[in-house]
Amino acid sequence: MHEVTVGMKHLADYKTVIGDERYDELRALAAAAKGRSMVHINATAYGGGVAEILQNLIPLLRDAGVDAHWWVLDAPAEFFDITKKLHNALQGMPLELSERERSLFLDVSRENAAAMPRADVVLAHDPQAVALHHFASTKAAGWVWRCHIDLTTAHQPVWSFLRPFVQEHDASIWTMPQFVRPDLGSQRVLIQTPTIDPLSEKNRGMPIADAREIVKRLGIDVDRPILLQVSRFDPWKDPLGVIDAYRLAKRNVPGVQLVMIGSLADDDPEGAEYLAKTKAHAGDDKDVHVFTNLDGVKDREVSASQIVSTIVLQKSLREGFGLVVAEALWKGIPVIGGNVGGIVVQIEDGVSGFLVSSVEETAKRAVQLLKDAGMRRRMADAGRERVRDRFLITRDLRDQLQLVASLSRAHDRTG
Ligand code: UDP
């Protein structure tokens, strides 16, 4: 494994966003965690929600006094084919894991564990990093596994294969209580949602005129309504269903356009295939715009697109959390999201957006919102407050500081 370089952030900059009381609480927690070391490990430095979170959280942990680092697994492409299959199976797809696949998964875990840095607390993210603890000789004060996946309908044989590795950790973190498998046992379980950074390039906002200019340069007509989905090209994000819903909505609102932006994550081998499927499904419709990071559509362009869109869609069929929902709500854009997983904790149906379960429902809600500017404004205000309350990175930082302090203290007592 190798370390990822991150930028610098200053906790003091967040004071105006979260207010004095929450800021002072963070400072007190930081004092208790100061001087401890922490390593986060995941599968990719780019693409997807976990990379997004770590890139923002690690600098803040450092500014708070924790010696925090972010390490990424080194693995051959075949390992990521296997872990994507594990991911799909945990979200409900049946999977027969071959003996060869199991041993490759374990061999790569063993090799990476041998390269582990020392730390007081290790936080391993998702199935890709779940077996590191098993093979690691590093004596950390605490090992925690964080699951970012929607496990409500996990394929049991695959979960049974992974469960013993999860159980070896001192604690596990889940986004929702419903994701915790009933046979996990007596492990310390924490429920914590992921969060967004209000001051990152993607979320700090920009003048609307700049956003319009950036989006115009992508070839989109900013004077007509825009539906936007920002997602990896992945079956669970239902890109084809998004296109079908747009087509239905267009019958009622002929001027509507659809923008789909998706990064190709390093650890997602299905990305290119689903991108091709999406483009084929869109056909030659000039009002459907599909972009990836390879087209130069990065944080600034994602942010601008979110800001100028009329409605954001996140029509997932399974979703661990869906940072893109919080990102849009924070920018005051109403979201129509799949009635699944972590989207449900972000959108209050009918208040900060709509929860939907089909293409038809998505189209119906889109038309309703496209035609009602007053409703869009009301939902936008409600959505932004919900994010401020629960889904800003300072909340994640608070949870992490508590974790570092409590695991290190427990270790001091016993070790
Ligand atoms: N993202 C991006 N560019 C893209 C697609 C996604 O920057 O083309 C970001 C998006 O803004 C969000 C993250 O990647 O911050 C995706 O996280 P989410 O939790 O929504 O989904 P995941 O990919 O983890 O399933």
Side-chain angles (χ1 to χ4, degrees):
M1 60 176 80
H2 62 274
E3 183 161 10
V4 182
T5 311
V6 293
M8 268 175 69
K9 287 182 189 278
H10 302 288
L11 189 48
D13 295 339
Y14 293 72
K15 196 170 178 175
T16 50
V17 187
I18 57 172
D20 291 351
E21 202 178 310
R22 284 184 186 170
Y23 180 77
D24 292 343
E25 185 200 0
L26 274 176
R27 280 290 174 209
L29 288 168
K34 196 173 168 60
R36 303 295 186 174
S37 58
M38 180 178 212
V39 171
H40 283 254
I41 302 167
N42 81 318
T44 175
Y46 179 75
V50 181
E52 180 81 18
I53 294 164
L54 294 181
Q55 160 190 315
N56 295 312
L57 191 61
I58 301 292
L60 278 175
L61 279 164
R62 284 186 189 168
D63 192 60
V66 176
D67 181 19
H69 297 269
W70 173 14
W71 286 65
V72 164
L73 301 179
D74 288 325
E78 209 186 341
F79 176 80
F80 295 119
D81 290 337
I82 297 166
T83 54
K84 187 67 202 285
K85 282 188 193 171
L86 294 175
H87 174 105
N88 288 342
L90 290 175
Q91 298 214 133
M93 229 180 239
L95 168 70
E96 190 87 50
L97 205 58
S98 71
E99 213 28 69
R100 193 183 134 31
E101 287 173 320
R102 278 170 203 245
S103 28
L104 194 134
F105 175 74
L106 297 177
D107 288 346
V108 171
S109 303
R110 187 184 298 109
E111 284 158 20
N112 276 278
M116 283 268 323
R118 290 188 63 81
D120 291 326
V121 177
V122 178
L123 211 161
H125 295 263
D126 278 340
Q128 295 96 321
V130 74
L132 290 175
H133 181 28
H134 182 75
F135 295 111
S137 56
T138 309
K139 293 275 172 287
W143 273 83
V144 183
W145 183 65
R146 185 165 187 169
C147 178
H148 295 270
I149 302 176
D150 178 348
L151 267 80
T152 32
T153 58
H155 182 59
Q156 187 60 34
V158 166
W159 165 247
S160 299
F161 167 60
L162 296 175
R163 187 186 55 215
F165 298 114
V166 176
Q167 287 170 327
E168 288 178 6
H169 292 76
D170 298 293
S172 55
I173 303 176
W174 309 74
T175 301
M176 299 172 78
Q178 295 90 312
F179 293 175
V180 183
R181 304 298 298 163
D183 56 354
L184 179 64
S186 61
Q187 186 177 48
R188 181 177 169 200
V189 163
L190 302 163
I191 305 296
Q192 297 171 4
T193 67
T195 55
I196 62 162
D197 184 347
L199 302 186
S200 69
E201 172 155 42
K202 186 172 288 163
N203 296 318
R204 67 174 164 243
M206 67 177 86
I208 184 81
D210 294 2
R212 284 169 64 90
E213 196 47 45
I214 291 170
V215 173
K216 244 194 237 174
R217 265 188 261 131
L218 293 174
I220 297 157
D221 181 354
V222 291
D223 294 317
R224 287 196 279 139
I226 298 170
L227 304 178
L228 169 72
Q229 177 153 307
V230 178
S231 274
R232 285 179 299 104
F233 291 100
D234 173 296
W236 305 107
K237 311 283 186 182
D238 198 15
L240 309 189
V242 168
I243 295 175
D244 292 339
Y246 146 81
R247 285 197 178 123
L248 277 182
K250 202 171 175 66
R251 289 188 196 160
N252 268 283
V253 185
V256 72
Q257 307 161 87
L258 174 65
V259 179
M260 302 180 81
I261 302 179
S263 50
L264 297 170
D266 298 340
D267 67 338
D268 184 356
E270 288 183 319
E273 181 193 336
Y274 265 85
L275 171 63
K277 278 191 186 162
T278 305
K279 285 188 168 166
H281 201 64
D284 57 5
D285 187 334
K286 297 274 180 295
D287 281 342
V288 179
H289 303 266
V290 180
F291 301 105
T292 73
N293 50 313
L294 305 180
D295 304 310
V297 174
K298 307 212 170 123
D299 284 358
R300 205 167 140 71
E301 291 74 18
V302 169
S303 172
S305 306
Q306 288 168 330
I307 289 168
V308 304
S309 60
T310 322
I311 300 168
V312 160
L313 305 177
Q314 191 53 45
K315 208 203 146 310
S316 306
L317 305 171
R318 293 273 186 286
E319 189 60 77
F321 182 66
L323 286 177
V324 282
V325 173
E327 289 168 2
L329 294 176
W330 181 243
K331 295 181 181 87
I333 310 298
V335 181
I336 300 176
N339 190 7
V340 291
I343 295 178
V344 173
V345 294
Q346 299 186 72
I347 298 179
E348 261 180 299
D349 193 26
V351 178
S352 47
F354 287 116
L355 295 171
V356 293
S357 301
S358 67
V359 165
E360 292 71 25
E361 209 182 341
T362 309
K364 192 180 110 200
R365 292 306 195 185
V367 170
Q368 184 182 359
L369 266 175
L370 284 168
K371 290 185 169 173
D372 190 341
M375 180 184 264
R376 290 206 299 275
R377 262 194 308 277
R378 281 195 302 281
M379 287 189 159
D381 291 346
R384 188 172 164 90
E385 282 323 301
R386 195 168 173 84
V387 174
R388 190 194 305 279
D389 223 35
R390 307 175 184 207
F391 307 124
L392 292 186
I393 196 157
T394 36
R395 203 236 61 230
D396 216 344
L397 180 66
R398 185 195 67 197
D399 295 344
Q400 299 271 319
L401 291 171
Q402 276 170 342
L403 195 65
V404 170
S406 73
L407 284 171
S408 305
R409 262 199 316 274
H411 183 72
D412 293 346
R413 278 198 302 272
T414 57

